Amino acid sequence: MNKFFELIAGRVALRIPIWILLIIPFIAYLCWEYYWYTKVGLRVIKWHTHVLEYVYVWIVGIFIFQLLKKRDSEGIKNAFLLFTSIVFSLGLLETFLEISGLYKTYMEKVSGDYSSPYTPQDQTYYHLWDPSKPHWLTKPEYSYWRPTNSQGVGDREWSTQRKPKEKRIMALGDSFTEGDGAPYDSSYVSLLNKKLLAAGDTFYVMNAGVCGSDPFNNFILLRDRLLIYKPDIILQVLASNDMTTDILLRGGMERFQEDGTLKYRPAPWWEPLYAVSYISRIVITFAGYNELLKKDTINSSDQNELNEKTSDLFRQYARLSKTHKMRLIVILRPDWFEIEKNQYAYDFSFIRSQLKEQGIETLDLLPRYREYIAAHHSEAKNYFWPKDGHHNPTGYEMMAQTIYENLSHLLTDSATEESR
């Protein structure tokens, strides 16, 4: 009886084309990829996706040529060989681009998968770490530990109880405020705190910066969850990247939906093609698009919209500060290439005028950074990580020192009391 079943199984196997047997594991893999796509979207795309996509193209080609092989067997055979050669060559090129990293996005370089800038990663309004669980700021060039308090920001637990004559300072911003690129005690906020305490007054400094956030995230977080800590002074950092990347792609206050979720601007229809193929990125880059799927130059329409949304944000910020007797200070922060060019990538002139109109104090770090670097006979690149682009510990010392030198007169007892 066993020999009978073995004979039947053998005859059935002989009737199944070998190419069908070969594609079964690839079909299983495709189903697995699709399942995770429904869970995480384009973040499912990793190195193996880039390589195996050409295997799928080849399998589809096999199926088509199997249907056509009876018509002109010699011509079909030659066409199939040419098709196979092209697909194999493209697969090799894709593999080379994957290994070299030439066309990888910033997020692919640091996390290993494709992260769409048009897809919110947060389930609620608030862009925060997992509360009360320490986290690591890890990039190819470094890895630094951070505590996480109950609010979900990378700092110690804060007290809501104010000591007599205590001045409370809360720093809000993105990764440059949290201190990505340096140990926990070497962020600009930690270093500023040490300088203020050394001056003799009683300061309580809170670092509410979160990597990946922007001024709209910061404002919503402050308004809804952080006022219980009664800050006297708010230090809000603003950079070109906030304007040309975060706000441009995420939008302004309209991103915060009534149901408590986030909704960013829609991505270009061709984003999946860009995400899955490095070869397509060569063509798209040649057409003038960057990894944000936008043209590098901000047109006048985009700039007017960005100015309007950001000015509206700071009008609300000013009202909130006045209501709760907080002194709001906006800090303009440059990147290394802006220091070298002595010019911001984004034109802040309109926003500066709006901040002044609202009575919001502004500190521009660009000229201060240039003076500091010149005084130390150094170069801008020495204060940033070469690949990652964040400040290194030396850069955060420069940031803390220039902020301290230019804001210490606003942080005296009389100035703080006047603001309250």
Short mmCIF file of all heavy atoms in Angstrom, two decimals, residues 60-101:
data_model
loop_
_atom_site.label_atom_id
_atom_site.label_comp_id
_atom_site.label_asym_id
_atom_site.label_seq_id
_atom_site.Cartn_x
_atom_site.Cartn_y
_atom_site.Cartn_z
N VAL A 60 6.72 36.57 -12.81
CA VAL A 60 5.61 37.00 -13.67
C VAL A 60 6.00 36.82 -15.13
O VAL A 60 5.19 36.38 -15.96
CB VAL A 60 5.24 38.47 -13.38
CG1 VAL A 60 4.23 38.98 -14.41
CG2 VAL A 60 4.67 38.60 -11.97
N GLY A 61 7.24 37.14 -15.43
CA GLY A 61 7.72 36.94 -16.80
C GLY A 61 7.67 35.49 -17.22
O GLY A 61 7.29 35.16 -18.35
N ILE A 62 8.07 34.58 -16.33
CA ILE A 62 8.01 33.14 -16.62
C ILE A 62 6.58 32.73 -16.96
O ILE A 62 6.33 31.99 -17.92
CB ILE A 62 8.52 32.32 -15.42
CG1 ILE A 62 10.02 32.52 -15.25
CG2 ILE A 62 8.20 30.85 -15.59
CD1 ILE A 62 10.60 31.81 -14.04
N PHE A 63 5.64 33.20 -16.18
CA PHE A 63 4.24 32.86 -16.40
C PHE A 63 3.77 33.33 -17.78
O PHE A 63 3.11 32.59 -18.52
CB PHE A 63 3.38 33.48 -15.30
CG PHE A 63 1.91 33.22 -15.47
CD1 PHE A 63 1.37 31.98 -15.18
CD2 PHE A 63 1.05 34.22 -15.94
CE1 PHE A 63 0.02 31.74 -15.34
CE2 PHE A 63 -0.29 33.99 -16.10
CZ PHE A 63 -0.82 32.73 -15.80
N ILE A 64 4.14 34.55 -18.13
CA ILE A 64 3.73 35.10 -19.43
C ILE A 64 4.38 34.32 -20.57
O ILE A 64 3.71 33.95 -21.56
CB ILE A 64 4.09 36.59 -19.51
CG1 ILE A 64 3.27 37.40 -18.50
CG2 ILE A 64 3.86 37.13 -20.93
CD1 ILE A 64 3.65 38.86 -18.41
N PHE A 65 5.67 34.02 -20.43
CA PHE A 65 6.36 33.29 -21.50
C PHE A 65 5.87 31.84 -21.61
O PHE A 65 5.90 31.26 -22.70
CB PHE A 65 7.87 33.31 -21.28
CG PHE A 65 8.50 34.61 -21.66
CD1 PHE A 65 9.02 35.48 -20.71
CD2 PHE A 65 8.56 35.00 -23.00
CE1 PHE A 65 9.58 36.68 -21.07
CE2 PHE A 65 9.14 36.21 -23.37
CZ PHE A 65 9.64 37.06 -22.40
N GLN A 66 5.40 31.27 -20.51
CA GLN A 66 4.82 29.93 -20.58
C GLN A 66 3.55 29.94 -21.43
O GLN A 66 3.26 28.99 -22.14
CB GLN A 66 4.50 29.42 -19.17
CG GLN A 66 5.71 28.97 -18.36
CD GLN A 66 6.34 27.72 -18.93
OE1 GLN A 66 5.65 26.80 -19.38
NE2 GLN A 66 7.66 27.67 -18.91
N LEU A 67 2.80 31.03 -21.34
CA LEU A 67 1.58 31.14 -22.14
C LEU A 67 1.88 31.35 -23.62
O LEU A 67 1.09 31.00 -24.49
CB LEU A 67 0.71 32.29 -21.62
CG LEU A 67 0.17 32.14 -20.19
CD1 LEU A 67 -0.60 33.40 -19.79
CD2 LEU A 67 -0.72 30.91 -20.07
N LEU A 68 3.04 31.95 -23.91
CA LEU A 68 3.38 32.31 -25.30
C LEU A 68 4.30 31.31 -25.99
O LEU A 68 4.51 31.42 -27.21
CB LEU A 68 4.05 33.69 -25.31
CG LEU A 68 3.23 34.88 -24.79
CD1 LEU A 68 4.09 36.12 -24.76
CD2 LEU A 68 1.98 35.10 -25.64
N LYS A 69 4.83 30.34 -25.28
CA LYS A 69 5.92 29.53 -25.83
C LYS A 69 5.49 28.68 -27.02
O LYS A 69 6.33 28.29 -27.84
CB LYS A 69 6.51 28.66 -24.74
CG LYS A 69 5.58 27.55 -24.24
CD LYS A 69 6.29 26.74 -23.17
CE LYS A 69 5.39 25.61 -22.67
NZ LYS A 69 6.07 24.79 -21.65
N LYS A 70 4.20 28.38 -27.19
CA LYS A 70 3.76 27.53 -28.30
C LYS A 70 3.68 28.28 -29.62
O LYS A 70 3.53 27.68 -30.67
CB LYS A 70 2.40 26.92 -27.96
CG LYS A 70 2.44 25.96 -26.77
CD LYS A 70 1.08 25.36 -26.51
CE LYS A 70 1.12 24.39 -25.33
NZ LYS A 70 -0.22 23.79 -25.07
N ARG A 71 3.73 29.61 -29.60
CA ARG A 71 3.56 30.38 -30.84
C ARG A 71 4.83 30.40 -31.68
O ARG A 71 4.84 30.03 -32.84
CB ARG A 71 3.14 31.80 -30.48
CG ARG A 71 1.78 31.86 -29.77
CD ARG A 71 1.35 33.29 -29.52
NE ARG A 71 0.08 33.35 -28.82
CZ ARG A 71 -0.54 34.48 -28.48
NH1 ARG A 71 0.01 35.65 -28.81
NH2 ARG A 71 -1.67 34.45 -27.84
N ASP A 72 5.91 30.87 -31.13
CA ASP A 72 7.17 30.95 -31.84
C ASP A 72 8.25 30.58 -30.84
O ASP A 72 8.84 31.45 -30.18
CB ASP A 72 7.38 32.38 -32.40
CG ASP A 72 8.70 32.52 -33.14
OD1 ASP A 72 9.40 31.50 -33.29
OD2 ASP A 72 9.04 33.65 -33.54
N SER A 73 8.49 29.30 -30.73
CA SER A 73 9.33 28.81 -29.64
C SER A 73 10.73 29.41 -29.65
O SER A 73 11.26 29.77 -28.61
CB SER A 73 9.42 27.28 -29.72
OG SER A 73 9.95 26.88 -30.98
N GLU A 74 11.34 29.56 -30.83
CA GLU A 74 12.69 30.10 -30.88
C GLU A 74 12.70 31.59 -30.51
O GLU A 74 13.55 32.04 -29.75
CB GLU A 74 13.27 29.91 -32.27
CG GLU A 74 14.75 30.21 -32.37
CD GLU A 74 15.60 29.30 -31.51
OE1 GLU A 74 15.20 28.14 -31.27
OE2 GLU A 74 16.67 29.76 -31.05
N GLY A 75 11.75 32.37 -31.07
CA GLY A 75 11.66 33.79 -30.76
C GLY A 75 11.32 34.04 -29.31
O GLY A 75 11.88 34.94 -28.67
N ILE A 76 10.39 33.23 -28.79
CA ILE A 76 10.01 33.37 -27.39
C ILE A 76 11.18 33.03 -26.48
O ILE A 76 11.42 33.69 -25.46
CB ILE A 76 8.80 32.46 -27.07
CG1 ILE A 76 7.57 32.94 -27.82
CG2 ILE A 76 8.53 32.44 -25.56
CD1 ILE A 76 7.13 34.34 -27.48
N LYS A 77 11.96 32.01 -26.86
CA LYS A 77 13.12 31.63 -26.06
C LYS A 77 14.14 32.76 -25.99
O LYS A 77 14.67 33.07 -24.92
CB LYS A 77 13.75 30.38 -26.65
CG LYS A 77 14.96 29.88 -25.87
CD LYS A 77 15.53 28.63 -26.53
CE LYS A 77 16.76 28.16 -25.77
NZ LYS A 77 17.35 26.93 -26.39
N ASN A 78 14.41 33.38 -27.12
CA ASN A 78 15.38 34.48 -27.16
C ASN A 78 14.87 35.68 -26.36
O ASN A 78 15.64 36.35 -25.66
CB ASN A 78 15.66 34.89 -28.60
CG ASN A 78 16.42 33.82 -29.36
OD1 ASN A 78 17.14 33.03 -28.77
ND2 ASN A 78 16.24 33.78 -30.67
N ALA A 79 13.55 35.95 -26.50
CA ALA A 79 12.97 37.07 -25.76
C ALA A 79 13.05 36.81 -24.26
O ALA A 79 13.32 37.73 -23.46
CB ALA A 79 11.52 37.29 -26.19
N PHE A 80 12.83 35.57 -23.86
CA PHE A 80 12.90 35.23 -22.43
C PHE A 80 14.32 35.38 -21.90
O PHE A 80 14.54 35.87 -20.77
CB PHE A 80 12.41 33.80 -22.20
CG PHE A 80 12.51 33.36 -20.77
CD1 PHE A 80 11.66 33.90 -19.82
CD2 PHE A 80 13.45 32.43 -20.37
CE1 PHE A 80 11.75 33.51 -18.48
CE2 PHE A 80 13.56 32.04 -19.05
CZ PHE A 80 12.70 32.58 -18.10
N LEU A 81 15.30 34.98 -22.70
CA LEU A 81 16.69 35.15 -22.28
C LEU A 81 17.06 36.62 -22.12
O LEU A 81 17.75 37.00 -21.18
CB LEU A 81 17.62 34.47 -23.30
CG LEU A 81 17.58 32.94 -23.34
CD1 LEU A 81 18.45 32.42 -24.48
CD2 LEU A 81 18.05 32.37 -22.01
N LEU A 82 16.59 37.46 -23.06
CA LEU A 82 16.83 38.89 -22.95
C LEU A 82 16.15 39.46 -21.71
O LEU A 82 16.74 40.25 -20.97
CB LEU A 82 16.32 39.60 -24.22
CG LEU A 82 16.43 41.13 -24.22
CD1 LEU A 82 17.90 41.56 -24.10
CD2 LEU A 82 15.78 41.72 -25.47
N PHE A 83 14.90 39.06 -21.50
CA PHE A 83 14.14 39.51 -20.32
C PHE A 83 14.86 39.11 -19.05
O PHE A 83 15.02 39.91 -18.11
CB PHE A 83 12.74 38.90 -20.36
CG PHE A 83 11.97 39.04 -19.08
CD1 PHE A 83 11.39 40.24 -18.72
CD2 PHE A 83 11.82 37.95 -18.22
CE1 PHE A 83 10.68 40.36 -17.53
CE2 PHE A 83 11.12 38.06 -17.04
CZ PHE A 83 10.55 39.27 -16.69
N THR A 84 15.33 37.88 -18.98
CA THR A 84 16.04 37.38 -17.79
C THR A 84 17.32 38.18 -17.56
O THR A 84 17.65 38.53 -16.42
CB THR A 84 16.37 35.90 -17.95
OG1 THR A 84 15.15 35.15 -18.08
CG2 THR A 84 17.15 35.38 -16.75
N SER A 85 18.05 38.48 -18.63
CA SER A 85 19.28 39.25 -18.51
C SER A 85 19.02 40.65 -17.95
O SER A 85 19.75 41.13 -17.08
CB SER A 85 19.98 39.36 -19.87
OG SER A 85 20.34 38.09 -20.36
N ILE A 86 17.95 41.28 -18.44
CA ILE A 86 17.61 42.63 -17.97
C ILE A 86 17.22 42.61 -16.50
O ILE A 86 17.70 43.43 -15.70
CB ILE A 86 16.49 43.23 -18.83
CG1 ILE A 86 16.99 43.47 -20.27
CG2 ILE A 86 15.97 44.53 -18.22
CD1 ILE A 86 15.90 43.91 -21.22
N VAL A 87 16.35 41.67 -16.14
CA VAL A 87 15.89 41.59 -14.76
C VAL A 87 17.06 41.27 -13.83
O VAL A 87 17.19 41.85 -12.74
CB VAL A 87 14.78 40.53 -14.61
CG1 VAL A 87 14.44 40.30 -13.14
CG2 VAL A 87 13.53 40.96 -15.37
N PHE A 88 17.94 40.36 -14.25
CA PHE A 88 19.10 40.00 -13.44
C PHE A 88 20.02 41.20 -13.25
O PHE A 88 20.52 41.45 -12.14
CB PHE A 88 19.86 38.84 -14.11
CG PHE A 88 21.05 38.38 -13.33
CD1 PHE A 88 20.90 37.62 -12.17
CD2 PHE A 88 22.34 38.70 -13.74
CE1 PHE A 88 22.00 37.20 -11.44
CE2 PHE A 88 23.44 38.27 -13.02
CZ PHE A 88 23.28 37.53 -11.87
N SER A 89 20.23 41.97 -14.31
CA SER A 89 21.10 43.15 -14.22
C SER A 89 20.50 44.20 -13.30
O SER A 89 21.22 44.81 -12.48
CB SER A 89 21.32 43.74 -15.61
OG SER A 89 21.96 42.82 -16.47
N LEU A 90 19.19 44.42 -13.42
CA LEU A 90 18.53 45.39 -12.53
C LEU A 90 18.58 44.92 -11.08
O LEU A 90 18.77 45.73 -10.16
CB LEU A 90 17.08 45.60 -12.97
CG LEU A 90 16.87 46.32 -14.31
CD1 LEU A 90 15.39 46.34 -14.67
CD2 LEU A 90 17.42 47.74 -14.25
N GLY A 91 18.44 43.61 -10.88
CA GLY A 91 18.54 43.08 -9.52
C GLY A 91 19.91 43.28 -8.92
O GLY A 91 20.05 43.61 -7.74
N LEU A 92 20.95 43.10 -9.74
CA LEU A 92 22.31 43.35 -9.27
C LEU A 92 22.52 44.82 -8.93
O LEU A 92 23.15 45.15 -7.91
CB LEU A 92 23.32 42.91 -10.33
CG LEU A 92 23.56 41.41 -10.48
CD1 LEU A 92 24.58 41.16 -11.60
CD2 LEU A 92 24.06 40.79 -9.18
N LEU A 93 22.00 45.71 -9.78
CA LEU A 93 22.12 47.14 -9.51
C LEU A 93 21.39 47.51 -8.22
O LEU A 93 21.91 48.28 -7.41
CB LEU A 93 21.57 47.94 -10.69
CG LEU A 93 21.56 49.48 -10.53
CD1 LEU A 93 22.96 50.00 -10.25
CD2 LEU A 93 20.97 50.13 -11.77
N GLU A 94 20.18 46.96 -8.04
CA GLU A 94 19.42 47.24 -6.82
C GLU A 94 20.18 46.75 -5.59
O GLU A 94 20.22 47.43 -4.55
CB GLU A 94 18.04 46.57 -6.90
CG GLU A 94 17.08 46.96 -5.79
CD GLU A 94 16.44 48.31 -6.01
OE1 GLU A 94 16.44 48.81 -7.16
OE2 GLU A 94 15.92 48.89 -5.04
N THR A 95 20.78 45.57 -5.70
CA THR A 95 21.56 45.02 -4.59
C THR A 95 22.77 45.90 -4.28
O THR A 95 23.07 46.17 -3.10
CB THR A 95 22.03 43.60 -4.93
OG1 THR A 95 20.89 42.77 -5.22
CG2 THR A 95 22.81 42.99 -3.77
N PHE A 96 23.45 46.38 -5.32
CA PHE A 96 24.59 47.28 -5.11
C PHE A 96 24.14 48.56 -4.41
O PHE A 96 24.80 49.04 -3.48
CB PHE A 96 25.23 47.62 -6.46
CG PHE A 96 26.20 48.76 -6.38
CD1 PHE A 96 27.47 48.60 -5.83
CD2 PHE A 96 25.84 50.03 -6.83
CE1 PHE A 96 28.35 49.68 -5.74
CE2 PHE A 96 26.72 51.10 -6.76
CZ PHE A 96 27.98 50.93 -6.20
N LEU A 97 23.01 49.13 -4.85
CA LEU A 97 22.52 50.37 -4.23
C LEU A 97 22.11 50.13 -2.78
O LEU A 97 22.29 51.01 -1.93
CB LEU A 97 21.34 50.92 -5.04
CG LEU A 97 21.68 51.42 -6.45
CD1 LEU A 97 20.40 51.78 -7.21
CD2 LEU A 97 22.62 52.61 -6.39
N GLU A 98 21.58 48.94 -2.50
CA GLU A 98 21.23 48.60 -1.12
C GLU A 98 22.47 48.53 -0.25
O GLU A 98 22.51 49.09 0.85
CB GLU A 98 20.50 47.26 -1.10
CG GLU A 98 20.34 46.63 0.29
CD GLU A 98 19.47 47.46 1.21
OE1 GLU A 98 18.44 47.97 0.78
OE2 GLU A 98 19.87 47.61 2.40
N ILE A 99 23.51 47.88 -0.73
CA ILE A 99 24.74 47.71 0.05
C ILE A 99 25.47 49.04 0.21
O ILE A 99 25.96 49.38 1.30
CB ILE A 99 25.65 46.67 -0.62
CG1 ILE A 99 24.99 45.29 -0.58
CG2 ILE A 99 27.01 46.62 0.08
CD1 ILE A 99 25.73 44.24 -1.37
N SER A 100 25.53 49.82 -0.86
CA SER A 100 26.26 51.09 -0.81
C SER A 100 25.53 52.17 -0.03
O SER A 100 26.15 53.08 0.53
CB SER A 100 26.53 51.59 -2.24
OG SER A 100 25.31 51.95 -2.88
N GLY A 101 24.20 52.09 0.00
CA GLY A 101 23.41 53.10 0.72
C GLY A 101 23.32 54.44 0.02
O GLY A 101 22.93 55.44 0.63
#
